[in-house]
Amino acid sequence: MNEYLDMFLTFARIGGLTFGGGYAMLPMLQKEVVERKQWATQEEIMDYYAIGQCLPGLIAVNTGAFIGQKRKGTLGGLACAFGVAFPSLVIITIIAAFIGGFADMAVVKNAFAGIRVCVVVLIANAVAKLWKKAIVDKMALLLFACVFLAATYTSASPILIVVLAAVAGIIIQTMGVKQAK
């Protein structure tokens, strides 16, 4: 099969089966892109997510573009980005045409309530997997605590928090290398 079509279809499946936004797609990305297709590593997915959150647009589209770019250049990035966005465009267009008559129905409200609970569990599972790869020592745990507190208790921009965490990571690693010498 054409590799670009494979990339488009893989990301279309991820985009079409992910409910709850970019964070909810993380478990599917881990399974499809990291484990099954081996197009990226777990660490790369974490990096793409961090960068994708800082950029304008949807995290899912940004992450798809990064993975596709790494795999097959600009056309690969476009194939993955369009793939992840395509199902949403189709589904949203269909729902928008009919939602007015169904939005207030109890069964629709209850279905969305159940989906929200499911999305929280999927995200928590993805976070647990990421935790194992990211929190590798006491300094990483300290950095996590600082970032968590900043993100939770201040109105600091996520971009600023990510940039400061990157600078802290550079400083921590540089200090660790100097101490090891």
Side-chain angles (χ1 to χ4, degrees):
M1 177 191 297
N2 180 319
E3 215 169 328
Y4 295 106
L5 181 58
D6 185 29
M7 292 165 66
F8 176 86
L9 293 175
T10 297
F11 275 85
R13 185 171 52 252
I14 291 169
L17 298 176
T18 299
F19 295 90
Y23 294 109
M25 83 177 229
L26 191 53
M28 285 190 73
L29 267 179
Q30 289 171 331
K31 185 174 185 172
E32 287 292 319
V33 175
V34 175
E35 296 169 16
R36 189 164 163 241
K37 301 280 187 173
Q38 298 179 344
W39 289 342
T41 66
Q42 188 69 36
E43 291 80 10
E44 288 171 327
I45 296 293
M46 290 175 11
D47 293 343
Y48 297 154
Y49 251 70
I51 295 168
Q53 185 177 17
C54 295
L55 296 173
L58 304 171
I59 295 171
V61 174
N62 294 342
T63 302
F66 286 134
I67 293 167
Q69 170 70 28
K70 176 192 176 238
R71 181 103 181 118
K72 295 295 281 181
T74 302
L75 289 178
L78 290 171
C80 292
F82 285 134
V84 78
F86 182 74
S88 297
L89 292 173
V90 172
I91 292 167
I92 289 169
T93 302
I94 293 169
I95 289 173
F98 298 104
I99 193 75
F102 298 106
D104 293 328
M105 293 177 64
V107 68
V108 172
K109 289 181 180 180
N110 294 337
F112 281 120
I115 289 170
R116 284 191 298 273
V117 170
C118 179
V119 166
V120 170
V121 172
L122 292 174
I123 292 170
N125 185 33
V127 167
K129 289 179 181 178
L130 289 174
W131 178 275
K132 292 175 187 175
K133 295 278 187 178
I135 310 301
V136 295
D137 57 20
K138 289 179 184 177
M139 290 305 290
L141 182 60
L142 177 63
L143 182 57
F144 169 83
C146 292
V147 169
F148 178 80
L149 291 171
T152 304
Y153 296 107
T154 73
S155 60
S157 162
I159 296 170
L160 177 63
I161 293 172
V162 170
V163 168
L164 291 175
V167 169
I170 291 168
I171 292 169
I172 290 167
Q173 289 301 316
T174 303
M175 287 175 28
V177 169
K178 286 182 182 176
Q179 288 176 357
K181 288 182 178 181

